[in-house]
Structures are given as C-alpha cells and as structure tokens.
C-alpha cells in the first residue's frame, strides 16, 4: 500500500509542478479545464475497469491518472475560485472549504452502500463526481481571456 501511495503522490506532485510552469502562459482556467477533462476521463475509465472486473493493476493505473489530473485541478480550481472572491477572500476561502468538506461528508456514505467487498459504488461515485465537475465547468465557468504571451507584453 505504501509503495502505491508514494507513486500516486509522486504523480500528483509532478503534475502540480508541471502546471505551475504552464499557468503563467495559459492561465488557471485553461489548465483547470484540461485537468477536469483528465479527471472525467480517468474516473470513467475506473468505472469501466470496475464493471469489467479487470485486474487490480488496471484500476491502479486509472487511479494514478486520476491523481495526476487532480494535480492540475486542485491548485487551478482554488486559484479560479479565489480570483472571483474580490475583496472578500476570507469569505471565499471559507465557502470553498465548506463546499469541499461538506460535499465529501455527503458523498462518503454512498461509497459504502454495497459493503466493503464491492468496488462498484466507489467507481460510480468517482465517475459521477469527475463527470459532474467537468460539466459544471463547461456550463457555468466564465471564459477567461487568454494570457498574453511575453512577446506581446
């Protein structure tokens, strides 16, 4: 378990660092959208692997891809949310934390609906959350103007 945890953590950290190198050129909204596409894709792949009763290795690959995508989503989602906070950054931060922990508390019991021997509820919750996050971004996120390149400034 600890080796798998370390590998997944390495993927999350690596993609966070890669995102930090790109955000200045493309902007956080652009990166967030690409990360959400990765999250939705990896979460749906995890559902397919679970339904197909594929190997644990295949599921671990899906989880690794999911965590790599989250390395892009988490910092850029927070940056995008805080950018809209204006002069009330403390309130924006509090609402962001409430949303994250509140939704986690509401969704966590759904994973255990079928007991501890079936991974299907977990895969369904992950796929639903990953897909819903992308749909919310596509439908409701304001379009950010492209970041000017250094040659233009």
């Amino acid at each position: 378990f600890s080796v798998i945890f370390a590998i997944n953590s390495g993927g999350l950290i690596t993609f966070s660092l890669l995102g930090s190198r790109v955000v200045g050129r493309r902007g956080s909204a652009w990166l967030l959208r690409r990360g959400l596409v990765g999250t939705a894709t990896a979460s749906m792949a995890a559902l397919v692997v679970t339904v197909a009763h594929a190997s644990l290795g295949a599921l671990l690959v899906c989880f690794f891809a999911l965590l790599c995508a989250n390395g892009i989503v988490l910092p850029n989602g927070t940056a995008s949310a805080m950018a809209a906070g204006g002069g009330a950054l403390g309130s924006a931060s509090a609402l962001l934390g409430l949303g994250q922990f509140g939704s986690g508390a509401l969704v966590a019991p759904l994973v255990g609906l079928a007991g501890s021997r079936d991974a299907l509820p977990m895969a369904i919750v992950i796929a639903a959350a990953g897909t819903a996050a992308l749909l919310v971004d596509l439908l409701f996120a304001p379009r950010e103007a492209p970041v000017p390149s250094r040659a233009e400034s």
Side-chain angles (χ1 to χ4, degrees):
F1 174 78
S2 60
V3 170
I4 293 167
F5 187 86
I7 291 168
N8 284 333
S9 297
L12 180 87
I13 292 167
T14 299
F15 274 74
S16 294
L17 291 171
L18 289 172
S20 72
R21 303 227 179 224
V22 176
V23 73
R25 291 188 300 267
R26 298 300 236 160
S28 62
W30 185 88
L31 266 175
L32 176 61
R33 172 79 44 87
R34 271 93 194 138
L36 288 171
V37 168
T39 297
T41 303
S43 64
M44 290 303 290
L47 178 60
V48 169
V49 164
T50 303
V51 169
H53 298 287
S55 70
L56 176 61
L59 186 60
L60 291 176
V61 168
C62 294
F63 287 161
F64 179 75
L66 182 62
L67 283 171
C68 288
N70 278 336
I72 299 292
V73 170
L74 297 174
N76 291 293
T78 301
S80 295
M82 296 301 289
L89 292 179
S91 297
S93 178
L95 285 173
L96 184 61
L98 175 68
Q100 289 172 332
F101 288 104
S103 61
L106 292 173
V107 172
L110 299 176
V111 174
L113 282 178
S116 62
R117 301 211 182 269
D118 190 1
L120 186 58
M122 172 200 64
I124 291 170
V125 168
I126 291 171
T131 305
L134 177 60
L135 288 174
V136 166
D137 183 65
L138 289 171
L139 295 173
F140 300 110
R143 300 295 160 242
E144 187 174 289
V147 176
S149 67
R150 291 191 173 123
E152 296 174 9
S153 23

